[in-house]
Amino acid sequence: IVQKQIIPSADNLFTAYFEQNDSRTYLESGKYLRWTTGDELSIFMGTTLNNQYRFTGETGDNSGGFEPASSPGFVTGNNLDNPCHYAVYPYNKGTKISESGVLTVNLPAEQSYAENSFGVAANTMVAVTSSLNDMNLAFKNACGYLKLKFYGNDITVKNVTLQSNGGEKLSGSAT
């Protein structure tokens, strides 16, 4: 077990961007990806400690910096077998990583609607760096998504429920 004090500093700043144009966080016309002010990440910095980072840019930026959202003080965790940084969008204190690098995340059963986009925190993405010296996070989608288009006049949709055909999980814990 490693005991480590995480202290926000210039050494703890990450740059995040989208590796492809089919990722998160909101879509402009033409499927361009953009971050939203206040977006947060879970970042595992060579250990199993889940660190909370917050976007420092403006809504509409397609890349930008993330800095520590808070300092957890003295905490414990195990070293990862592959010493690098793993990141998950969105931040969730329940997101975990094993020493071998297997991430466990929660896919939300309820997601908010956002016109022409994804709801905030609705599109799980992951990134991994090449080493502990690499502070650039290239995010990729962890899951697919479903786009629904409704047509008609004077129709109000209050919610949509999706079910799998054979009992497959559509939300909850995923690794």
Side-chain angles (χ1 to χ4, degrees), residues 16-108:
Y17 58 95
F18 305 107
E19 187 163 276
Q20 300 171 0
N21 276 353
D22 58 356
S23 214
R24 198 308 191 188
T25 60
Y26 79 78
L27 297 171
E28 288 183 334
S29 90
K31 295 188 181 179
Y32 295 103
L33 304 174
R34 303 290 183 245
W35 291 105
T36 301
T37 298
D39 277 340
E40 293 183 335
L41 306 174
S42 288
I43 300 182
F44 301 90
M45 302 181 326
T47 71
T48 57
L49 303 174
N50 181 349
N51 297 284
Q52 182 180 9
Y53 274 69
R54 186 171 294 124
F55 183 57
T56 60
E58 299 293 325
T59 295
D61 292 347
N62 66 352
S63 66
F66 280 81
E67 64 185 7
S70 62
S71 175
F74 287 99
V75 291
T76 60
N78 296 329
N79 287 327
L80 299 176
D81 294 344
N82 181 22
C84 60
H85 304 291
Y86 291 81
V88 178
Y89 173 86
Y91 170 78
N92 183 306
K93 67 181 178 181
T95 298
K96 297 183 180 351
I97 192 168
S98 71
E99 293 169 6
S100 63
V102 176
L103 289 163
T104 301
V105 299
N106 186 51
L107 302 175

